[in-house]
Amino acid sequence: MARHRVSAETGEALDSRRPAVSRRPAVGALAALALAGLALPRSALPQQPVEIAGHLLDAGTGAPISVALVSIPALDISTLTNTDGAFHLVVPAGSHTFEIRHIGYGTRTTEVEARAGGTLSLEFRIEPAAIEVAPLEVNVEWRPSSLEQVGFYERRAHGSGRFYDPEDIRRGGDGLIVGWRNMSETILNMNRSGGVWCAPQILIDGRRDRVGLMTTLAHHRMGGVEVHAEPHKVPGLVPLIRAAGEDPLCPTVIVWTRQWLTAAELEERRIVLCEPGPTTERAPLVVEGTVTDALTGILLPRATVTAWITEPAGRRREKETTADDNGRFRFCDLDPRTDVSIWARFAGLSGELAPVAAETAPVTADTAPVTRDLEVPISRHGHVAGRVFDLRRGEPVPGAEIRLAAGAAAPAPGDRGPPAEAGYLTTSDEHGLFAIPDLIPGDYRLAVSHPDAGVAGETIPVPSGSTVDVRVELDPTPPPAPDAASPAAGPRIVAERRHPRLTEVGFYERRRESATRGRGHFFTRERIQALAPTRLTDLLTEVDGLREVCPRQTCRLVSPRAGRCSHVSVYLNGTLVMDGRAWDFEQGGVDDLAAPHEVVAIEVYLGAVSLPGEFAAPSNRCGAIVIWSG
């Protein structure tokens, strides 16, 4: 029996001879007809069938190809090759397009001519070729055990806050870190849910970032970052923040560094101080020391230390090293014949140049290293400003004694505080005002007392470069009995960090001046949230002498105290938006400018006499309302 070899790639016959057609007994013909009846469409049944027996082989090795799909799409018939690469089909006579599909060989087609009434033997040899498949996406999340231990993924599953896992950090690289370093402008607008504005706080590995270590971390040192606007609403986060001495009501950024890596990974990233090499003709000059914050004395890990070297010929060059995680540094191979000065950088700030005095005696192998400790001005002084009130009468308390001492434990209400030499001592003036400037950042114990008004004590944080406003409310009545049914409000101290923007626009200076001259009314975010107004007009009419008039659908605010006044001018973020002389009712009223929750402070001045210079204008004869939005 002749074999008909066909190329599966080109469709051309490899053997040009016509296949021999063998006549079989009637029994074989009947079987072929029966098979044709099962495999062919009804339209093909009347035609004389052709039995095809084929083999599918690898073109290179000749090995059989099993589990390949052999089909004739036009006839909608198909079969699979067996372990020997063999397949069997019964088709009508004529020309047919065979399609062969296999995952390792791709899809191939070839034309085969089948003559009626016989059996056709075919052999297909094909080359391996991967077929094109649809893309398969497999997402596998690697979860470091360190982040699982601290609850990172549990909090992320809660759906509150923004989370950056190791893959996010790897993709973002240093550019993402720069965004984190500058994120303060974004999260400064996060409100304390209880209504009291507070600045964002940063925790690194569960500890408070006191000196701005966040600004020094490169992306390869970070394992995860969490940003929470309302951390008190996230399950399990409050104990973590309280353990760090921070407020769970304030916006919080938590940075998890790679301090949790395996011992091998930690060793790979560890900064090892150099060791002096073997001495030759002249021993090298070794200089070592520590880098600390100039104000707090806190060690600054991974600070950059630069040696400025002046050679005898006058040529200058620089040499750099990096302090280790304990803030220590060392230069091991400086030339003792050169003049050397060193200085440190940390978080973008630089310290002063420190000369390394030349030794009169020659440097030998036994000479001790030269020690030069360096400082960088990372922290800035903080300030405390406050006012003391009598809780019962609501009046300022002059002559109250204010004691402030460094420490974390708050004094008892009856504690008169530490001696003056152990902290800071001052008294409130005739308006109940007091101020303590130039404090080293940290926690302080504040104790306030007055013979007639009572005592109060609390611990307050003083951040770097910020002013903390303190409102002290003293209660002259004795504390209630422990079993009293309705205890009195009692004395309290409320500390609020000043909003940087309000400091810049002079809000706090005007408020302090108003306390002595009584020429304005001031609403902070704390007070706005405490009053819980539904609209700004409801809040503003709390001011005695300011009332709402609604001649049309739009209401206006008027100040009857000033004669011949129609309505009060309105400023939004320092810009006049509603002129007191030409109020345009078509542009809406005060309530259309902002919602109460969008406002960080409001100033109200009734009459031209009370206006500060910033808002003195002919159009403001009836006074002005100044709204600062967040």
Side-chain angles (χ1 to χ4, degrees):
M1 182 176 64
R3 301 178 65 85
H4 186 196
R5 300 179 62 207
V6 181
S7 169
E9 295 184 357
T10 63
E12 298 178 355
L14 300 180
D15 188 345
S16 59
R17 293 175 298 173
R18 294 288 183 180
V21 179
S22 60
R23 299 296 178 181
R24 296 193 174 187
V27 175
L30 291 176
L33 289 175
L35 290 172
L38 293 174
L40 298 179
R42 292 186 178 182
S43 60
L45 287 177
Q47 302 180 18
Q48 192 173 4
V50 179
E51 186 176 354
I52 296 179
H55 282 80
L56 184 61
L57 306 176
D58 185 279
T61 65
I65 302 173
S66 62
V67 198
L69 179 67
V70 181
S71 63
I72 304 177
L75 300 179
D76 194 24
I77 60 175
S78 62
T79 187
L80 292 175
T81 59
N82 61 19
T83 56
D84 297 325
F87 65 92
H88 184 269
L89 288 173
V90 177
V91 301
S95 179
H96 301 290
T97 300
F98 278 69
E99 182 179 275
I100 302 171
R101 184 186 298 268
H102 190 277
I103 192 169
Y105 293 83
T107 300
R108 310 299 175 89
T109 59
T110 185
E111 294 288 333
V112 175
E113 182 72 26
R115 293 188 176 185
T119 300
L120 183 62
S121 294
L122 299 177
E123 182 180 286
F124 295 101
R125 292 180 177 266
I126 57 178
E127 299 283 349
I131 65 172
E132 183 179 354
V133 297
L136 178 63
E137 295 184 2
V138 180
N139 296 321
V140 179
E141 182 183 27
W142 174 69
R143 292 190 171 188
S145 59
S146 60
L147 294 182
E148 290 186 333
Q149 292 171 8
V150 298
F152 177 92
Y153 296 102
E154 293 181 9
R155 290 188 289 274
R156 188 177 68 174
H158 181 261
S160 177
R162 295 169 57 189
F163 291 79
Y164 301 88
D165 62 16
E167 183 62 21
D168 297 326
I169 295 171
R170 185 192 65 79
R171 286 196 303 263
D174 286 321
L176 188 58
I177 305 302
V178 171
W180 287 331
R181 293 173 185 167
N182 299 329
M183 71 169 63
S184 58
E185 289 300 322
T186 301
I187 58 180
L188 276 176
N189 294 327
M190 297 179 179
N191 300 341
R192 190 173 177 176
S193 63
V196 180
W197 179 91
C198 53
Q201 51 202 14
I202 297 177
L203 305 182
I204 297 181
D205 287 337
R207 295 180 293 274
R208 182 187 304 177
D209 182 12
R210 295 179 179 272
V211 294
L213 294 180
M214 171 70 175
T215 62
T216 71
L217 295 175
H219 73 275
H220 65 271
R221 295 193 62 206
M222 290 190 173
V225 177
E226 308 176 36
V227 181
H228 298 281
E230 297 178 310
H232 63 284
K233 295 184 178 180
V234 182
L237 193 56
V238 171
L240 179 79
I241 296 177
R242 290 197 184 279
E246 297 287 19
D247 189 342
L249 295 178
C250 293
T252 302
V253 179
I254 305 176
V255 180
W256 301 106
T257 69
R258 293 185 175 269
Q259 304 303 320
W260 306 80
L261 296 175
T262 64
E265 291 172 319
L266 286 175
E267 183 64 24
E268 180 182 349
R269 290 170 171 81
R270 185 169 63 94
I271 294 179
V272 180
L273 301 183
C274 63
E275 294 292 341
T279 59
T280 54
E281 180 180 346
R282 180 184 295 271
L285 173 65
V286 179
V287 180
E288 63 183 16
T290 59
V291 183
T292 59
D293 174 31
L295 188 59
T296 64
I298 295 176
L299 292 168
L300 303 180
R302 297 182 179 257
T304 300
V305 183
T306 303
W308 193 5
I309 304 169
T310 306
E311 298 179 350
R315 189 170 67 92
R316 290 179 174 176
R317 57 188 176 88
E318 292 183 353
K319 186 177 183 63
E320 281 192 355
T321 189
T322 303
D324 63 13
D325 289 334
N326 295 317
R328 301 175 303 164
F329 71 92
R330 182 183 296 139
F331 290 101
C332 297
D333 55 355
L334 299 177
D335 190 339
R337 297 169 297 181
T338 60
D339 291 331
V340 179
S341 296
I342 58 176
W343 54 290
R345 300 192 309 274
F346 185 86
L349 299 175
S350 300
E352 295 183 357
L353 201 64
V356 179
E359 303 293 341
T360 56
V363 178
T364 66
D366 298 331
T367 303
V370 178
T371 300
R372 289 292 182 271
D373 292 331
L374 304 176
E375 294 181 340
V376 181
I378 298 298
S379 300
R380 293 179 294 162
H381 284 102
H383 315 281
V384 172
R387 199 174 188 188
V388 184
F389 289 91
D390 186 305
L391 180 63
R392 297 302 181 187
R393 295 184 297 173
E395 298 177 355
V397 177
E401 184 181 84
I402 294 96
R403 293 179 180 270
L404 194 68
D415 187 2
R416 300 270 312 168
E421 60 271 14
Y424 302 85
L425 174 64
T426 187
T427 56
S428 58
D429 63 14
E430 65 272 21
H431 304 288
L433 298 169
F434 68 91
I436 303 177
D438 300 331
L439 298 170
I440 295 176
D443 292 332
Y444 286 83
R445 300 192 306 271
L446 177 65
V448 181
S449 61
H450 189 274
D452 300 325
V455 296
E458 186 59 82
T459 296
I460 62 172
V462 179
S464 171
S466 299
T467 298
V468 178
D469 277 319
V470 179
R471 180 182 176 90
V472 182
E473 297 177 348
L474 299 179
D475 186 358
T477 60
D483 56 351
S486 56
R492 68 171 186 158
I493 296 177
V494 179
E496 179 186 31
R497 183 177 174 181
R498 288 187 175 181
H499 196 300
R501 185 179 178 208
L502 296 181
T503 301
E504 182 180 350
V505 300
F507 173 86
Y508 299 105
E509 294 180 6
R510 292 190 291 273
R511 187 178 67 173
R512 185 178 181 87
E513 186 176 354
S514 175
T516 60
R517 300 186 181 182
R519 69 178 193 179
H521 302 266
F522 294 79
F523 295 86
T524 62
R525 172 165 285 173
E526 177 187 18
R527 187 178 176 192
I528 294 173
Q529 296 291 345
L531 294 173
T534 58
R535 57 188 186 131
L536 288 182
T537 302
D538 298 333
L539 174 69
L540 294 170
T541 51
E542 292 286 329
V543 177
D544 185 22
L546 196 63
R547 60 189 180 90
E548 182 182 20
V549 177
C550 302
R552 306 179 190 176
Q553 291 184 349
T554 302
C555 298
R556 65 183 182 183
L557 294 167
V558 300
S559 173
R561 289 185 179 180
R564 301 175 59 186
C565 276
S566 55
H567 46 261
V568 180
S569 297
V570 179
Y571 288 79
L572 179 61
N573 295 328
T575 301
L576 181 64
V577 293
M578 294 182 179
D579 194 320
R581 295 178 301 180
W583 189 293
D584 188 355
F585 285 94
E586 300 299 327
Q587 294 183 357
V590 173
D591 297 327
D592 297 314
L593 297 178
H597 70 272
E598 299 174 323
V599 176
V600 296
I602 298 178
E603 307 172 45
V604 179
Y605 303 97
L606 301 179
V609 178
S610 64
L611 285 171
E614 298 92 322
F615 307 109
S619 61
N620 301 340
R621 181 172 56 86
C622 300
I625 299 171
V626 184
I627 302 172
W628 302 101
S629 69

